[in-house]
Amino acid sequence: MCGIVGCILKDKKAAPILLECVTKLEYRGYDSVGIATPDSEIHIKKDQGKIKDVNKKIGLSNLPGDMGIAHVRWATHGIPTKENSHPHTDCSGNIAVVHNGIIENYKEIKDALIEEGHVFKSETDTEVIPHLIEKFMAQGLDLESAIRDTLDMIHGSYAIAAMAAAEPGKIVGAKKDSPLIVGKGIDEYFVASDAPAILNHTNNIIYLEDGEMVILERSGVTVKNMLGEVIKKEIHVLDWTPEMAEKGGFDHFMIKEIHEQGESVRNTLMEAADIEKVVNELPDIERISFVACGTSYHASLIGKYLFESLMGVPTDVILASEFKYSAPALNDKTLVIFISQSGETADTLKALRLAKESAETLAIVNVLGSAATREAHHVIFTRAGPEIGVAATKTYVSQLTCIYILVSYMSNRMDLLEELHKVPQYMEDILADEDHIKEIASRYKDSQDFFFIGRGFSYPTALEGALKLKEITYIHGEGYAAGELKHGPLALIDDGVPVVAVVPPGISHDKTLSNVEEVRARGARVIGLGSHEDKLLKSEADDVIGINESVNELISPISYIVPLQLLSYYISVEKGIDPDKPKNLAKCVTVE
Ligand code: AGP
């Protein structure tokens, strides 16, 4: 996930305003930044690092001209370096492009362009765009048509803004599966990844749809489809304040990141071909060990259930901090999978260094260039984009998506891969029920203890639900395998104790419902998570959060965690806690 901005201004220098706008997009990426402005040639300032550090070093706003484009990067292809920072240019440096998204077929395009004599300066997927535009403009097309032909050739997701020295006073934007909005001020025009980025300048916003292009000129903005036909678009007048900017209009990063989970799953699915490649590189494996901490540990538990039930491969899951005390006997037929959002967690890195001495290692990581990605034998990237809230949400669902893709390829279960493509819609349906979950949260917010129960694939979901609750509401929450309650914890169930039961359709359904009956008989208040159509659950639970009936047990962990994240988020807000910065915790734990 990256942030892009472009503007054409009147009697004002563009670079300081581009810098201000792109700073509001820093939540979308913060490893590199760059600005390009044209006069007779295109001037670019860019480097890797946080915006304020890069600005201090090279003076980003010190560029001529009243128009330009800017970018803040979250590295996906190519580690954060000056060369990999956007804007990217063609061979001549006369065409500049900023891009948010992933171009899946960039390698074949790049190889073909190199054959034709194009010289690439970066390792990014994005750089194929200016080179393709250059190629088509050299054949006589104008910028707009050259971009259209370019977009015809690329697969994947994109929001772009591009300009060419040969066509002064013009910026062309386009989108597919990545956000792009247009701002229409008085004689001043903008494109940006989101509206809050430009709210200081205009609140007249046009939302572009997939397959639409916008042409900003000094005379105004025109929106067209991919056939070049003009489209009439509605202008929305927003009543947001500029202060809402960094959070994209949401109150907290956490809720914004919960809402981004569909996009995270979609982006991670685009990684499928690279994951297949990793699978093909793996030696014969007789055993799998997952190693991780916290939320990443819960994702690993789902991995265990998947590998054992679908492939029959013995799989264990070890807390990274316990690895040196309880590591299984490793050998070259063991694959040790390290899961880490940050790729910098000290416990996980220590375990990785130990495991590497005798086993094959694979790291599933969200941050490109992090220590885990440099040290593991194989790496898979989750494509969640930057996660700012301390509580892991979208990185968790992306980790799960990676594990499901991995197991689909390893077990040849392509039906599972197909199922995954439906998950973003299931998530959106759950988010449409947000007010209901908020209302439940306000009724349960004063409880002292919560229990979360589930069986099979729902057991790790229960554990993760309890972790979210503890972390951001400071309420005691316990996750239990539902069948384990009667072996001790049932003694703690009294009148009014909330029990959250995760009961998707599947083989564990009836047995978990029996456990729900047991806690009800002891006075528990039950919040049930299950299919919309589950009449039995409705008759047993005090409150039901209904989920699409097609979401069966096997695939449920990626969707069923969303209501639990929302429940904790809204309890946290009701209690006046800042869910983004829970006490005593840090986003990345670099001590053992
Ligand atoms: C979860 O909400 C926490 N922030 C925490 O448990 C986290 O998952 C854990 O510290 C591991 O971090 P990592 O994924 O960056 O290695």
Side-chain angles (χ1 to χ4, degrees):
M1 205 163 87
C2 304
I4 70 175
V5 189
C7 69
I8 297 182
L9 306 176
K10 192 170 183 244
D11 305 328
K12 266 182 224 150
K13 261 186 86 179
I17 288 177
L18 287 166
L19 179 60
E20 174 229 308
C21 296
V22 89
T23 302
K24 303 235 166 53
L25 292 171
E26 204 167 17
Y27 74 86
R28 298 183 67 85
Y30 40 70
D31 61 47
S32 329
V33 56
I35 298 181
T37 63
D39 48 19
S40 53
E41 57 182 308
I42 288 177
H43 304 267
I44 296 182
K45 286 198 176 219
K46 63 180 190 178
D47 209 342
Q48 67 77 28
K50 295 224 165 70
I51 296 179
K52 75 170 174 6
D53 299 331
V54 174
N55 189 32
K56 213 162 165 193
K57 193 165 129 197
I58 59 173
L60 283 164
S61 50
N62 190 15
L63 282 166
D66 61 359
M67 62 172 279
I69 55 178
H71 185 271
V72 67
R73 179 167 189 245
W74 174 257
T76 59
H77 295 70
I79 59 166
T81 59
K82 180 177 178 187
E83 292 68 33
N84 290 335
S85 310
H86 300 219
H88 288 287
T89 55
D90 63 327
C91 297
S92 67
N94 287 326
I95 296 164
V97 174
V98 287
H99 165 230
N100 166 35
I102 296 171
I103 299 167
E104 291 166 61
N105 59 338
Y106 84 98
K107 281 195 190 113
E108 40 206 272
I109 296 177
K110 185 170 174 174
D111 289 348
L113 286 166
I114 289 172
E115 278 283 290
E116 290 168 25
H118 288 258
V119 179
F120 280 74
K121 301 175 278 290
S122 78
E123 302 157 312
T124 64
D125 52 339
T126 301
E127 199 185 340
V128 298
I129 301 176
H131 286 281
L132 282 173
I133 298 173
E134 176 184 34
K135 171 178 164 164
F136 293 126
M137 286 184 82
Q139 290 168 6
L141 296 186
D142 61 9
L143 176 64
E144 187 191 319
S145 313
I147 290 179
R148 209 169 278 121
D149 280 11
T150 296
L151 299 179
D152 258 357
M153 290 192 63
I154 62 181
H155 305 154
S157 60
Y158 55 79
I160 60 159
M163 54 189 194
E167 294 190 31
K170 187 181 283 181
I171 293 173
V172 180
K175 89 169 253 358
K176 181 180 161 272
D177 293 334
S178 294
L180 193 67
I181 60 97
V182 180
K184 208 166 173 228
I186 301 165
D187 295 332
E188 298 191 330
Y189 309 104
F190 296 81
V191 279
S193 296
D194 71 19
I198 58 167
L199 273 185
N200 271 338
H201 307 281
T202 180
N203 58 351
N204 295 321
I205 304 297
I206 298 169
Y207 292 96
L208 293 184
E209 300 296 333
D210 284 353
E212 292 180 349
M213 285 178 92
V214 62
I215 299 103
L216 308 190
E217 289 167 294
R218 298 199 185 282
S219 53
V221 299
T222 314
V223 179
K224 295 187 179 176
N225 62 19
M226 284 299 160
L227 299 172
E229 296 159 343
V230 175
I231 305 171
K232 208 167 156 30
K233 297 286 289 184
E234 189 183 346
I235 297 179
H236 299 259
V237 182
L238 300 192
D239 59 1
W240 291 355
T241 61
E243 294 73 55
M244 291 164 153
E246 289 104 43
K247 293 176 189 136
F250 288 94
D251 290 339
H252 298 99
F253 283 110
M254 184 181 173
I255 188 69
K256 183 175 146 292
E257 287 158 1
I258 289 173
H259 276 259
E260 283 168 354
Q261 292 185 113
E263 189 189 347
S264 301
V265 171
R266 271 192 206 102
N267 286 343
T268 302
L269 276 165
M270 287 184 193
E271 197 64 6
D274 284 348
I275 296 177
E276 186 182 16
K277 222 188 284 140
V278 169
V279 168
N280 293 335
E281 286 165 5
L282 293 175
D284 279 350
I285 295 299
E286 288 175 357
R287 176 180 199 92
I288 292 173
S289 291
F290 279 93
V291 181
C293 312
T295 294
S296 301
Y297 174 78
H298 298 149
S300 305
L301 287 172
I302 303 283
K304 172 182 168 67
Y305 281 96
L306 277 170
F307 279 107
E308 291 191 331
S309 64
L310 298 187
M311 293 181 65
V313 181
T315 304
D316 39 28
V317 185
I318 304 151
L319 285 166
S321 56
E322 287 295 307
F323 188 77
K324 67 175 166 223
Y325 313 112
S326 71
L330 304 176
N331 58 39
D332 56 5
K333 297 248 182 297
T334 314
L335 175 66
V336 190
I337 305 180
F338 293 85
I339 304 196
S340 176
Q341 174 279 128
S342 60
E344 298 288 351
T345 301
D347 290 324
T348 309
L349 290 178
K350 257 275 158 54
L352 170 54
R353 284 163 198 154
L354 263 178
K356 240 176 102 171
E357 291 169 10
S358 42
E360 196 77 2
T361 57
L362 162 65
I364 300 182
V365 181
N366 197 46
V367 182
L368 199 102
S370 58
T373 68
R374 297 193 303 270
E375 298 193 29
H377 295 114
H378 309 272
V379 179
I380 291 175
F381 288 106
T382 50
R383 299 293 185 190
E387 190 175 67
I388 314 290
V390 164
T393 53
K394 61 177 182 165
T395 53
Y396 177 64
V397 298
S398 285
Q399 289 170 347
L400 291 179
T401 307
C402 277
I403 298 170
Y404 275 86
I405 299 171
L406 190 62
V407 85
S408 303
Y409 282 118
M410 287 176 82
S411 62
N412 224 345
R413 282 284 304 264
M414 290 307 113
D415 57 318
L416 195 56
L417 200 55
E418 260 170 52
E419 238 351 85
L420 284 178
H421 285 273
K422 300 180 192 157
V423 168
Q425 185 56 52
Y426 298 144
M427 288 176 155
E428 269 141 42
D429 295 346
I430 295 164
L431 288 166
D433 197 26
E434 193 169 352
D435 284 346
H436 173 217
I437 299 167
K438 188 174 175 179
E439 187 270 318
I440 295 175
S442 82
R443 279 191 281 116
Y444 286 82
K445 68 171 193 308
D446 296 320
S447 307
Q448 302 289 308
D449 305 280
F450 269 71
F451 287 82
F452 292 76
I453 60 169
R455 284 172 181 255
F457 285 98
S458 301
Y459 169 41
T461 305
L463 292 177
E464 176 59 8
L467 177 63
K468 288 284 95 78
L469 186 84
K470 282 186 268 229
E471 198 178 13
I472 60 165
T473 72
Y474 314 153
I475 297 174
H476 171 235
E478 291 280 351
Y480 268 101
E484 189 64 12
L485 276 184
K486 58 188 177 294
H487 298 292
L490 204 52
L492 296 170
I493 304 292
D494 268 327
D495 262 359
V497 171
V499 175
V500 181
V502 187
V503 204
I507 51 164
S508 70
H509 175 271
D510 293 358
K511 287 248 182 300
T512 309
L513 266 194
S514 306
N515 302 126
V516 167
E517 278 183 49
E518 286 160 16
V519 295
R520 284 263 296 165
R522 279 134 187 111
R525 283 193 292 166
V526 176
I527 303 171
L529 255 64
S531 153
H532 277 298
E533 318 238 301
D534 191 339
K535 293 201 179 74
L536 281 175
L537 179 64
K538 282 183 187 155
S539 67
E540 288 295 338
D542 297 81
D543 289 285
V544 173
I545 301 172
I547 290 164
N548 191 304
E549 59 283 2
S550 317
V551 185
N552 63 26
E553 213 168 48
L554 177 66
I555 200 84
S556 65
I558 318 184
S559 310
Y560 270 62
I561 193 59
V562 179
L564 300 184
Q565 297 164 341
L566 287 169
L567 186 67
S568 291
Y569 171 77
Y570 281 113
I571 293 178
S572 176
V573 172
E574 284 268 350
K575 289 173 77 95
I577 294 166
D578 178 354
D580 287 342
K581 297 189 195 83
K583 67 174 189 222
N584 307 338
L585 301 177
K587 185 69 189 158
C588 179
V589 186
T590 52
V591 288
E592 276 186 85

